[in-house]
Amino acid sequence: MMSPIEQTTSDGAHTGAGTGDDCDLDAIEHLACSAKGIKKRAEVTDASLPQLQEFKKEFDSARTDYAAAREASKTDLAAAEDTLDTVAEHLRCRVTEEQRKRLKTAVREVFGEIRKCVGGWGCRVDDCDCEFDDEVGENDTVATLAARIAQYREDVDKAAAFFRTLADEQTELPARAAKIKADADKLLADTAEPAAGKDVVEFWARLLVLRKRAESVWQGFETVSSYVECLCKLLLCVLKGWQSIAILEGAREERVCRDESHRVACDRKQAQTVTEVLAAYSRLCPPESTAEVEEDEEDTQSRSSVERGC
């Protein structure tokens, strides 16, 4: 059973404070540092709560809001598709097969580059992206903990930014669909101009681009469920990240405190060496001096006297 003076630090390390004749006053410093670690952990947790609560609120309404956004978008996309079919009929005979093939290849190439530079489509997050190790070992130092905390904060920031991007889809998706429809209407009007023949290659390029945008308007989320599932993964990722960061921040704060305590103690020993020596001397137990020992000494002296013939 742990004695009253024994303590456990916030990262689970036992202080090893002594009892009985061994009055280990360092236990007080350990306790103070442990308290600082616990306080820091609570501060980080409190600081993360507003973000987590905001994300949970957005997640709770995501399925309904996103489903409505998709339905609203489908109307504009269907109208745009009809308009683009009409444009294609107007232009088909004025664009050669060779021009169409080259433009199709160019569009595929450019959209492939766009997809890479924006980080791809779909969820773009899996379980391996959200692995956070909050174990604190004996060999962990302020520096190693700080490095891990910095990495985890970066990971959480990325997940949070992606969550916000997906949450914005509920307004961005209808806006994208509406723009595709507006651009399709503008293309139809432009191709109807009497002098439109000289711009036929550009018109066909605009046609292909709009069709590609309509094709990728869902940004990789083919169903409402796939979108909501991704939001859930991101929310859990942010949650797990903050939980680990809070634990590591507490452990780091405790180690900073303990390192400082050790430094202060070392400085004191160097500056007040004699005082420290006397303090250590006073803590040492004196040699045993009991009546039994004194009697043994008297018996020994008596025997020695007899042997000498005294």
Side-chain angles (χ1 to χ4, degrees):
M1 181 177 179
M2 188 177 292
S3 64
I5 199 170
E6 289 178 314
Q7 300 295 334
T8 301
T9 62
S10 64
D11 59 347
H14 186 56
T15 63
T19 56
D21 292 336
D22 181 13
C23 185
D24 185 4
L25 297 183
D26 287 343
I28 297 175
E29 294 297 331
H30 282 295
L31 182 60
C33 291
S34 178
K36 286 187 176 181
I38 294 170
K39 180 180 178 182
K40 182 65 174 181
R41 180 172 174 175
E43 288 174 353
V44 174
T45 300
D46 287 343
S48 69
L49 280 177
Q51 182 188 67
L52 291 169
Q53 290 168 340
E54 174 193 349
F55 283 6
K56 183 181 183 300
K57 182 178 179 181
E58 292 180 0
F59 176 76
D60 288 341
S61 62
R63 181 177 295 276
T64 301
D65 293 345
Y66 183 70
R70 284 179 74 100
E71 287 303 315
S73 301
K74 287 178 181 179
T75 302
D76 284 338
L77 291 172
E81 184 179 352
D82 290 341
T83 301
L84 293 177
D85 287 342
T86 301
V87 172
E89 290 300 319
H90 288 175
L91 298 178
R92 193 175 303 278
C93 294
R94 295 172 0 192
V95 184
T96 67
E97 183 177 355
E98 174 63 25
Q99 289 173 324
R100 290 199 297 270
K101 286 183 177 178
R102 288 169 59 190
L103 284 170
K104 185 176 181 180
T105 300
V107 167
R108 186 186 303 114
E109 178 182 325
V110 171
F111 270 82
E113 292 171 353
I114 291 173
R115 193 167 184 171
K116 288 180 181 178
C117 71
V118 299
W121 289 334
C123 196
R124 307 201 311 261
V125 64
D126 55 37
D127 294 337
C128 294
D129 295 322
C130 297
E131 291 184 348
F132 301 99
D133 178 15
D134 57 17
E135 293 294 325
V136 180
E138 292 182 1
N139 295 327
D140 274 312
T141 64
V142 172
T144 62
L145 291 173
R148 212 184 327 165
I149 290 167
Q151 181 60 58
Y152 289 174
R153 283 185 178 275
E154 182 178 341
D155 294 342
V156 167
D157 285 346
K158 288 180 180 178
F162 192 25
F163 184 96
R164 290 191 179 95
T165 297
L166 288 192
D168 290 343
E169 273 293 284
Q170 295 160 23
T171 54
E172 293 293 332
L173 175 56
R176 280 200 306 273
K179 189 172 189 314
I180 290 172
K181 179 181 180 299
D183 289 347
D185 292 340
K186 180 68 165 59
L187 178 58
L188 179 61
D190 290 346
T191 56
E193 290 291 329
K198 65 179 182 179
D199 299 320
V200 67
V201 173
E202 178 186 338
F203 288 152
W204 195 262
R206 287 167 61 185
L207 169 69
L208 294 182
V209 167
L210 285 172
R211 280 183 166 170
K212 196 69 175 176
R213 286 178 177 168
E215 176 187 324
S216 59
V217 71
W218 311 120
Q219 300 288 300
F221 297 102
E222 297 305 321
T223 64
V224 174
S225 294
S226 63
Y227 169 84
V228 175
E229 182 181 353
C230 187
L231 271 184
C232 180
K233 285 183 178 181
L234 289 167
L235 178 53
L236 290 177
C237 184
V238 174
L239 172 61
K240 289 191 295 184
W242 276 121
Q243 287 174 331
S244 295
I245 290 169
I247 291 172
L248 297 178
E249 285 280 18
R252 177 182 175 275
E253 185 72 11
E254 183 173 335
R255 275 161 171 71
V256 168
C257 175
R258 284 160 53 182
D259 289 351
E260 177 64 15
S261 295
H262 292 159
R263 186 192 65 77
V264 170
C266 186
D267 290 347
R268 185 179 64 249
K269 285 179 173 62
Q270 293 181 79
Q272 305 174 23
T273 307
V274 173
T275 301
E276 289 295 319
V277 167
L278 292 175
Y281 168 80
S282 67
R283 291 195 298 269
L284 296 175
C285 295
E288 292 185 1
S289 178
T290 64
E292 183 179 348
V293 173
E294 292 174 355
E295 289 175 0
D296 288 343
E297 290 178 350
E298 290 177 356
D299 291 342
T300 301
Q301 291 175 357
S302 298
R303 286 196 299 270
S304 296
S305 298
V306 172
E307 291 173 356
R308 290 197 304 269
C310 295

